[in-house]
Amino acid sequence: ASHPLLCPPGIKCGGVLSASSGNFSSPNFPGLYPYETECTWLIVVAEGSSVLLSFSHFELEYHDTCAYDYLQVYNGAARDRGNLLGTFCGHSPPPPFSSAWHVMAVVFRSDRHVAKHGFAAAYKKDACGGQLTGLSGEITSPRYPESYPNDAECRWSIGGASGGGPLTLVFADFQMEGGQGCGFDYVALFDGPTVSAPRLGRYCGSARPPRTVSSTPHLLIIFKSDFNIGGRGFKAHFYSAGECQEVFTTIKGNFSSPQYPNFYPNNLKCHWSIQLPPGYRVKVFFLDMELEGRSSLTGGCDYDHLSAFDGGTENGSLLGQWCGRESLAPITSHSNRLLLVLHTDRNTAKRGFSISYVGVVPMNVSCTRTDFHIQIPVQSLAQLERNRIYLGTPSCAAQVVGRNFKIHTRFDTCGTESQRRNNTSVIVSTLYIDFSVGDQEDIHQYEVQCEPKRKEASVTLIAGPDPSRLSQAENLVDAQQWEGEAIDARETKSQDTSDIVFISICILAGLLMVIAVVGLVLL
């Protein structure tokens, strides 16, 4: 009995647990668990309820990444990596877990070597409080939205997510017994894992508490009710800063979904806000994207999706919403602010996305039959000296004229060259804008092009958001009007050869018909 065996076919292992509370343990507990065993317990309570899971004993074979024997806890159905709350082994028991909804799964696995005594666990539904470790989640008072019970005390300890930053807590609904000093029923918030941490606030009554941001990756929430007079209670959601809530103000940058390229967590709402100086627009390049696919019923992105909003808020115009696995064309904002929002539901996580963006410098480019004219508002490049902006070579640096950086140069200077593109003669040069700081080189390059016969100019980004990431140069500048000058900036379009091909086929067919008729006459 002291030696573990391979798990006999009849041994009880795993199953569905649907009672309001219960206990379960590893096979043979408190004896040694068998080798090569895999058990899954699915805890399912009434819809609208939550599950509190705790461990009274825990002893598994230790490995620093739990690669041998392990126990996994899922905030929902098993095997969905977006629901994984943690993987555990060794002698340190997992913390108490509170589910975000009415399903929780536990998976135990042992390999063919080294057995220990295993674990014993208990669960109960609608127990309030517990350990919450996701990047985001929701908590409610007991029985919400029904009146909460008297003499209740709940503690939610939020934190411990890998890579987690400060936590933000937002109350969506709040209605409790009031009273001066909140001495009867209240919610108290602490900036850390215990009550010894600084208190962030104590709230009661019907006024929603303000948005609260912790200074650490931990937040403790205590709910307490006295012996009479209750209320509807509260509903709040939390999210971690860091990789799920970021603001970018640099001219270019890169970011990705949480845990990319590994599967992103479920139950997320993440915001990435790009805020650039006035006059700029934001160009976003989708380097990689794989989200949960479209709904088979509606054909829409009803599950996990990424949305882009112009103007920096979700009230702005929707530039696009995406899901599934797609190769997406770049998008450009109409203003200097753009907001990207990732929403994931309770199941089916995927790899996520990787994004690069660059600020499109506002500029006017025009030309005559002999000269280039380039203007950039000084306020758009306020931190740059004029010699950081040059055409072709540093000797052709911009001049400051009024409120603009200006470059006025003849075609036979500043590195310009003549080329033939689509059977048209064009003059081409490269505009450099040097954003480098210290040892970090950051030079954006724009190709400026002029068709002298038509006096038409265009400008194209050829280096900006890490050139190796761009599959091709993107034309970035629309026609604009500054200082009363109407300048037509059109991009060069490749010649459409379809008409030529069609005419050639018709001529060939006519020749074949003539040959056939002559042949018949000769016969």
Side-chain angles (χ1 to χ4, degrees):
S2 62
H3 297 282
L5 304 170
L6 290 179
C7 197
I11 196 166
K12 185 177 180 180
C13 177
V16 177
L17 307 174
S18 57
S20 60
S21 63
N23 300 278
F24 60 97
S25 58
S26 52
N28 294 341
F29 183 83
L32 302 180
Y33 51 75
Y35 296 137
E36 295 188 298
T37 300
E38 185 165 327
C39 314
T40 300
W41 292 267
L42 188 65
I43 305 169
V44 183
V45 297
E47 185 84 34
S49 300
S50 61
V51 179
L52 179 66
L53 177 69
S54 59
F55 293 84
S56 59
H57 184 88
F58 192 85
E59 185 192 353
L60 273 62
E61 180 185 6
Y62 175 77
H63 180 262
D64 55 358
T65 63
C66 296
Y68 303 146
D69 300 351
Y70 60 80
L71 181 132
Q72 292 179 322
V73 181
Y74 290 86
N75 193 11
R79 301 308 182 199
D80 187 335
R81 281 184 273 179
N83 284 337
L84 182 63
L85 292 174
T87 300
F88 306 95
C89 62
H91 291 75
S92 299
F97 283 108
S98 182
S99 68
W101 49 91
H102 71 292
V103 178
M104 181 175 270
V106 178
V107 176
F108 165 72
R109 188 182 182 283
S110 64
D111 64 3
R112 63 179 62 190
H113 305 288
V114 186
K116 299 290 183 178
H117 292 282
F119 70 90
Y123 76 91
K124 53 184 176 180
K125 81 163 191 170
D126 281 338
C128 65
Q131 180 79 25
L132 301 169
T133 59
L135 287 172
S136 69
E138 182 180 281
I139 59 173
T140 60
S141 52
R143 300 178 186 169
Y144 178 86
E146 304 297 327
S147 184
Y148 53 79
N150 294 326
D151 297 315
E153 182 171 344
C154 315
R155 295 184 177 216
W156 292 270
S157 180
I158 306 172
S162 59
L167 293 154
T168 299
L169 181 72
V170 180
F171 285 87
D173 188 20
F174 194 87
Q175 198 261 310
M176 297 173 59
E177 179 186 6
Q180 188 173 5
C182 295
F184 306 125
D185 301 352
Y186 62 85
V187 170
L189 309 177
F190 295 88
D191 194 7
T194 66
V195 293
S196 61
R199 195 169 78 180
L200 296 172
R202 181 169 171 143
Y203 306 101
C204 60
S206 56
R208 273 193 302 168
R211 176 189 296 257
T212 300
V213 180
S214 70
S215 64
T216 71
H218 296 275
L219 185 65
L220 176 65
I221 304 170
I222 296 179
F223 164 75
K224 194 173 188 313
S225 64
D226 65 4
F227 63 92
N228 64 0
I229 308 178
R232 187 170 62 250
F234 70 88
K235 176 181 180 180
H237 65 269
F238 69 89
Y239 54 82
S240 172
E243 60 180 337
C244 191
Q245 305 288 328
E246 292 185 278
V247 177
F248 297 93
T249 57
T250 54
I251 301 301
K252 69 176 183 179
N254 303 288
F255 57 91
S256 56
S257 50
Q259 301 176 11
Y260 177 88
N262 297 316
F263 282 33
Y264 52 76
N266 289 324
N267 199 35
L268 285 180
K269 187 174 183 182
C270 298
H271 294 77
W272 294 269
S273 178
I274 304 170
Q275 303 173 6
L276 299 185
Y280 279 78
R281 292 176 298 149
V282 184
K283 186 104 176 180
V284 172
F285 302 86
F286 298 90
L287 309 178
D288 181 31
M289 192 176 82
E290 185 186 9
L291 306 179
E292 184 179 3
R294 295 179 179 270
S295 165
S296 58
L297 297 176
T298 67
C301 294
D302 300 341
Y303 307 133
D304 301 350
H305 54 261
L306 178 69
S307 305
F309 298 92
D310 202 4
T313 71
E314 291 183 68
N315 296 325
S317 60
L318 182 67
L319 296 175
Q321 186 175 86
W322 308 277
C323 59
R325 186 172 186 174
E326 300 181 30
S327 179
L328 301 175
I331 61 167
T332 305
S333 68
H334 302 298
S335 70
N336 61 321
R337 291 170 179 255
L338 183 139
L339 176 68
L340 285 155
V341 179
L342 173 67
H343 177 274
T344 69
D345 63 6
R346 295 180 177 182
N347 49 36
T348 315
K350 297 291 183 179
R351 184 174 68 248
F353 66 81
S354 176
I355 278 176
S356 179
Y357 78 87
V358 64
V360 181
V361 176
M363 69 179 74
N364 268 350
V365 178
S366 62
C367 66
T368 66
R369 292 182 182 274
T370 59
D371 300 72
F372 270 124
H373 296 265
I374 301 170
Q375 293 185 95
I376 302 173
V378 169
Q379 67 171 6
S380 299
L381 301 172
Q383 78 277 25
L384 296 186
E385 299 290 335
R386 67 176 187 85
N387 60 1
R388 296 287 198 98
I389 305 144
Y390 55 91
L391 187 67
T393 63
S395 61
C396 291
Q399 302 295 322
V400 179
V401 180
R403 293 176 297 171
N404 290 318
F405 289 113
K406 288 191 175 184
I407 296 177
H408 180 193
T409 181
R410 294 181 59 84
F411 290 158
D412 56 359
T413 59
C414 298
T416 55
E417 59 181 42
S418 179
Q419 298 181 4
R420 286 194 67 80
R421 296 187 180 180
N422 302 317
N423 296 318
T424 302
S425 293
V426 295
I427 304 297
V428 178
S429 189
T430 301
L431 176 69
Y432 296 89
I433 303 178
D434 187 353
F435 291 98
S436 302
V437 177
D439 295 334
Q440 293 188 336
E441 185 177 277
D442 184 13
I443 302 175
H444 295 203
Q445 299 175 39
Y446 293 81
E447 180 186 82
V448 292
Q449 176 180 312
C450 176
E451 190 178 335
K453 288 183 179 180
R454 301 175 66 179
K455 300 179 183 179
E456 289 185 351
S458 64
V459 59
T460 303
L461 176 75
I462 56 175
D466 189 352
S468 65
R469 294 171 179 257
L470 299 179
S471 58
Q472 60 184 18
E474 296 291 332
N475 193 289
L476 297 176
V477 176
D478 300 328
Q480 300 178 16
Q481 290 185 350
W482 288 350
E483 300 180 352
E485 299 178 12
I487 298 172
D488 188 11
R490 299 189 184 96
E491 63 178 290
T492 304
K493 298 179 180 178
S494 61
Q495 183 177 359
D496 187 350
T497 59
S498 59
D499 289 343
I500 297 171
V501 173
F502 178 73
I503 291 169
S504 301
I505 291 172
C506 290
I507 292 171
L508 181 61
L511 288 172
L512 290 173
M513 287 180 65
V514 170
I515 292 169
V517 170
V518 170
L520 288 172
V521 170
L522 292 174
L523 290 172

